[in-house]
Amino acid sequence: MKKLYEKSELTFALVCIVIYCVLQSLANPLNKIIGIEGLANAIFNVVLTVILFCFIKKNGLFKRYGLCKTSIPARQFLYYVPLIILVTRNLWNGVTVNFSLTDTVCYITYMLCVGFVEEVLFRGFLFKAMAKDNVKMAIVISSVTFGLGHLLHLINGSDVELVANLFQVVGAIAFGFLFVLIFHRGGSLIPCIITHSVINASSAFANETGLTVEKRIIMNLILFVIIAVYTFILSRILPKNQHLNENGVANK
């Protein structure tokens, strides 16, 4: 891993993303064979989480990939109140128990790890690799790639409906822009990891009953407004070039 990383950070990022997508695709059929929802996903993602964390720690890359506190006061992030609102998005149509206790534990473990893995891969590895040449392009590509990656749910055995998946893709792209701004301007990926992980985990209790296309549209419009307004405010009040690279030089 280290040799590939040293040779090409971008290639390293893309290889990691492909491996992640392949493992996710293999996990869903395995879950059905085992009979426990999310068990294979949980195992794969716990292993990936450990590997990525150890790689970053071993190579002293905590600051580069935002696994550190931000130096910016919480008030400049509006005390993260919009993020707190956004983490409730899966519960806006009510709360229900979708799985058995065992399935729920596996599913939540899987989803919590996904929050870490995807943030490190897309906002960490991919964004940082591309930002060296063009920050604006890196923001767009890392966000859109993250969103489009959710289309895999249509073919990997997740049993996600087309309409629901399209809303998921668009929502992921919106979150991608917000998260990459928080990371790039604030220098910390931790708020993104926490928000992403909680949103994922709360889907275990999402109530899909009576959730029509019209309701999905309304809920997503509310979500987009919150994200758009918060992103705009942060882009105005957060200092530029806050995120330093591993050499202590501000990214352009």
Side-chain angles (χ1 to χ4, degrees), residues 70-78 80 238:
T70 179
S71 60
I72 299 176
R75 66 176 180 276
Q76 288 189 255
F77 283 99
L78 306 185
Y80 301 101
L238 292 181

Side-chain angles (χ1 to χ4, degrees), residues 166-224:
L166 292 178
F167 279 115
Q168 190 179 50
V169 168
V170 176
I173 292 175
F175 270 106
F177 277 100
L178 173 59
F179 288 161
V180 78
L181 175 66
I182 290 174
F183 175 47
H184 178 57
R185 292 287 188 89
S188 176
L189 199 59
I190 293 176
C192 308
I193 292 173
I194 293 174
T195 303
H196 193 161
S197 296
V198 175
I199 289 175
N200 284 352
S202 66
S203 65
F205 307 102
N207 187 359
E208 297 288 329
T209 303
L211 192 55
T212 62
V213 174
E214 290 76 12
K215 283 186 178 182
R216 289 184 187 276
I217 292 175
I218 293 173
M219 291 167 63
N220 277 277
L221 283 175
I222 295 173
L223 181 144
F224 295 148

Side-chain angles (χ1 to χ4, degrees), residues 47-65:
V47 172
L48 281 174
T49 296
V50 172
I51 291 175
L52 291 175
F53 183 84
C54 290
F55 174 80
I56 293 172
K57 180 180 180 181
K58 183 178 180 180
N59 293 283
L61 298 170
F62 278 147
K63 189 170 184 179
R64 178 169 179 75
Y65 295 121

Side-chain angles (χ1 to χ4, degrees), residues 53-126:
F53 183 84
C54 290
F55 174 80
I56 293 172
K57 180 180 180 181
K58 183 178 180 180
N59 293 283
L61 298 170
F62 278 147
K63 189 170 184 179
R64 178 169 179 75
Y65 295 121
L67 301 185
C68 57
K69 293 181 180 179
T70 179
S71 60
I72 299 176
R75 66 176 180 276
Q76 288 189 255
F77 283 99
L78 306 185
Y79 297 98
Y80 301 101
V81 171
L83 292 183
I84 296 173
I85 296 173
L86 290 172
V87 298
T88 66
R89 60 166 293 191
N90 286 319
L91 309 179
W92 290 355
N93 193 53
V95 180
T96 188
V97 177
N98 291 307
F99 310 113
S100 67
L101 178 59
T102 300
D103 289 352
T104 299
V105 171
C106 291
Y107 185 84
I108 290 177
T109 300
Y110 150 47
M111 285 299 181
L112 289 174
C113 289
V114 164
F116 176 85
V117 172
E118 291 187 349
E119 289 306 310
V120 168
L121 293 182
F122 290 95
R123 249 68 66 187
F125 294 166
L126 183 60

Side-chain angles (χ1 to χ4, degrees), residues 128-141:
K128 288 293 292 183
M130 300 186 67
K132 292 185 292 186
D133 299 318
N134 190 320
V135 171
K136 292 182 179 179
M137 185 62 68
I139 290 173
V140 173
I141 292 179

Side-chain angles (χ1 to χ4, degrees), residues 231-243:
T231 301
F232 176 78
I233 293 174
L234 292 182
S235 69
R236 294 292 181 176
I237 64 178
L238 292 181
K240 294 182 179 181
N241 299 325
Q242 175 68 24
H243 193 185

